[in-house]
Amino acid sequence: MTTLGHLQELDSTYVMGTYARKPVGFVKGSGMELYDTNGERYYDFLSGIGTVNLGHCHPAITEVICEQAHALGHVSNYFHIEYRGELAQKLVELSGLGGKVFFANSGAEANEGAIKLARKWAHANKPGASQIVTMTMSFHGRTLATVAATGQPERALPFAPVMPGFTHVVFNDIDDLAHINPESTVAIMLEVVQGESGVWPATHAYLAHVAEFCAQHNVLLIVDEVQSGMYRTGKPFAFQHFNITPDIITSAKALGNGFPIGAVIAGESVCDTFVPGDHGTTFGGGPLACRVALETLSQFESFTSGENNIEAHVEWAGRYLRTRLAEIIGVENVRGIGLMVGFSLGTDVDMDASAFVEAMLSKGFVINAIGGHHIRLLPPLICKKSHIDALISAVYAIIGSHYDIEETE
Ligand code: PLP
């Protein structure tokens, strides 16, 4: 029998210490539920960081993984395979971008692809321009280019020299767009809901100004949908809540419901920029990943909860979760779209986000601390009223005991 102590010992001895892991080891999952090494059940309100959107070990996904593993696991991108073209067609249609897709293995790799695509596009369409402008407090990945793109210098500086070619403007600050040099700029890249920094949605006015700037100055608009895409906010992609049309979007995380896959989806004016030899990957777009992603999309499309399809369900569940959270004294600044939800612990609550997450864990709920007093919730999209009610009761119980208020549930 696996014990937590054994897992901790192996991790600390042999695995690089890039994460401060919580003292729990998970061995099994099903839908909203995770089970630890002692057989204890947890409700997962993090989904492997916005990834297992259909829930853990979804039977249809598990079935196609097994079937495809028996049929064909990997060949290479030198050959035609089943599922890749069909998946690309679906993504092009779902995004409304027209165009074509490049498949990668992760969010960072998809963003690297988008950056390369934009830079090469500029050689023919905007000679001399090379800057990619991104937002303060953004997050685009951990590779050298995406860490430079990420608008949090502390994430790049330990690996100096930081890759040149990226500048940052203040997120949601229309006036700060005036600091962008239109001549030298190839693309503006942003998340329409910033996830890693605490779930901060862009305003409609801000995105309208960004889109106008891009159109006026022949600047590409790249939207990073790695976390916000795949119905996390209710729509297939979060930008679809706003009146903008990106030139390029990137996807990963929930695209394979936990099976690694990333994608660069580029509109018609950009999508033929790469020619053979420009870009590639050994694993990206393989038959197993593409089949799993196709099945994931098909499950989103056929999802129903009562009378609701996926979009209506996520909209309802997100609104219910935010409304219930906002009723709790000590919970402040509840924000987000759909089931991408953030909130802050009030200054009167005498615990920080990390202590709060551990307290929730001890009550059987997996949530996420974004430093300081900010909390992020990204439950599987299948989450029901009963799961939300259970989470709310736990929040009341913890905050109440730290804040001298009565539990009202
Ligand atoms: N972009 C965004 C918006 C993300 O949230 C993340 C990961 O959290 C990434 C990119 C990087 O994705 P990956 O960890 O798959 O490389």
Side-chain angles (χ1 to χ4, degrees):
M1 162 111 171
T2 309
T3 63
L4 173 61
H6 183 58
L7 299 181
Q8 284 174 317
E9 168 89 30
L10 286 173
D11 273 345
S12 65
T13 311
Y14 297 111
V15 179
M16 288 193 198
T18 52
Y19 287 86
R21 294 189 169 85
K22 300 284 175 220
V24 60
F26 290 119
V27 293
K28 228 171 77 163
S30 171
M32 279 289 295
E33 296 171 2
L34 283 169
Y35 292 86
D36 73 8
T37 43
N38 295 323
E40 294 292 333
R41 189 193 70 182
Y42 299 74
Y43 282 157
D44 184 2
F45 275 76
L46 184 56
S47 310
I49 320 182
T51 295
V52 192
N53 282 10
L54 291 168
H56 292 281
C57 302
H58 188 286
I61 306 290
T62 304
E63 195 179 317
V64 295
I65 291 174
C66 296
E67 240 181 68
Q68 190 58 34
H70 282 290
L72 182 64
H74 176 75
V75 271
S76 87
N77 275 305
Y78 292 147
F79 305 101
H80 297 283
I81 53 153
E82 293 180 290
Y83 309 113
R84 184 173 53 223
E86 214 182 317
L87 175 63
Q89 181 185 5
K90 270 235 139 88
L91 289 173
V92 162
E93 287 168 4
L94 266 185
S95 66
L97 258 58
K100 293 181 183 170
V101 179
F102 174 84
F103 288 111
N105 304 284
S106 67
E109 202 189 333
N111 285 336
E112 287 268 346
I115 292 164
K116 282 177 74 177
L117 189 66
R119 288 251 174 85
K120 181 153 189 241
W121 171 89
H123 289 167
N125 294 278
K126 198 168 177 181
S130 63
Q131 290 296 310
I132 311 277
V133 175
T134 68
M135 305 290 138
T136 52
M137 299 311 289
S138 59
F139 184 83
H140 298 294
R142 301 286 194 165
T143 60
L144 283 175
T146 57
V147 90
T150 290
Q152 303 178 50
E154 69 278 10
R155 299 204 190 238
L157 288 172
F159 317 103
V162 178
M163 188 179 284
F166 296 92
T167 49
H168 310 294
V169 290
V170 177
F171 183 56
N172 266 340
D173 183 340
I174 293 169
D175 293 341
D176 207 41
L177 293 173
H179 290 120
I180 301 176
N181 177 343
E183 266 79 60
S184 63
T185 301
V186 170
I188 296 179
M189 177 164 160
L190 52 78
E191 301 149 88
V192 300
V193 186
Q194 291 192 332
E196 293 301 297
S197 58
V199 187
W200 305 102
T203 64
H204 283 265
Y206 184 67
L207 288 183
H209 276 82
V210 169
E212 193 186 317
F213 182 95
C214 289
Q216 248 178 22
H217 299 292
N218 194 26
V219 166
L220 298 176
L221 176 57
I222 305 173
V223 175
D224 179 341
E225 292 272 6
V226 167
Q227 187 166 148
S228 57
M230 293 299 110
Y231 298 90
R232 170 58 52 195
T233 66
K235 304 242 181 239
F237 296 100
F239 82 84
Q240 292 163 331
H241 292 278
F242 300 84
N243 190 21
I244 58 169
T245 307
D247 298 289
I248 302 171
I249 62 179
T250 54
S251 178
K253 286 195 184 279
L255 178 54
N257 202 50
F259 196 95
I261 180 167
V264 183
I265 307 161
E268 273 162 14
S269 59
V270 198
C271 70
D272 288 321
T273 300
F274 283 154
V275 296
D278 274 344
H279 196 46
T281 156
T282 297
F283 293 119
L288 192 46
C290 287
R291 181 152 184 210
V292 171
L294 253 186
E295 184 60 31
T296 302
L297 292 180
S298 142
Q299 290 298 323
F300 285 135
E301 279 167 13
S302 61
F303 175 95
T304 51
S305 169
E307 298 286 293
N308 288 336
N309 63 15
I310 185 90
E311 294 198 20
H313 174 75
V314 172
E315 202 277 321
W316 172 84
R319 190 158 27 83
Y320 182 66
L321 174 57
R322 291 194 302 278
T323 305
R324 296 296 317 273
L325 283 167
E327 289 164 1
I328 303 173
I329 297 168
V331 167
E332 293 179 357
N333 204 357
V334 180
R335 54 199 181 257
I337 310 181
L339 282 169
M340 191 167 182
V341 173
F343 66 88
S344 308
L345 299 171
T347 43
D348 292 342
V349 177
D350 67 347
M351 67 198 310
D352 65 9
S354 179
F356 182 72
V357 165
E358 299 225 354
M360 287 294 285
L361 205 51
S362 72
K363 288 197 172 290
F365 293 88
V366 177
I367 63 168
N368 182 228
I370 306 273
H373 289 80
H374 300 308
I375 301 290
R376 175 173 54 166
L377 303 177
L378 302 167
L381 308 183
I382 56 169
C383 112
K384 293 194 166 83
K385 180 174 181 293
S386 55
H387 302 120
I388 296 174
D389 288 340
L391 174 106
I392 295 292
S393 292
V395 174
Y396 265 115
I398 291 164
I399 290 193
S401 66
H402 276 258
Y403 193 60
D404 200 24
I405 59 167
E406 292 299 311
E407 189 180 339
T408 61
E409 271 296 295

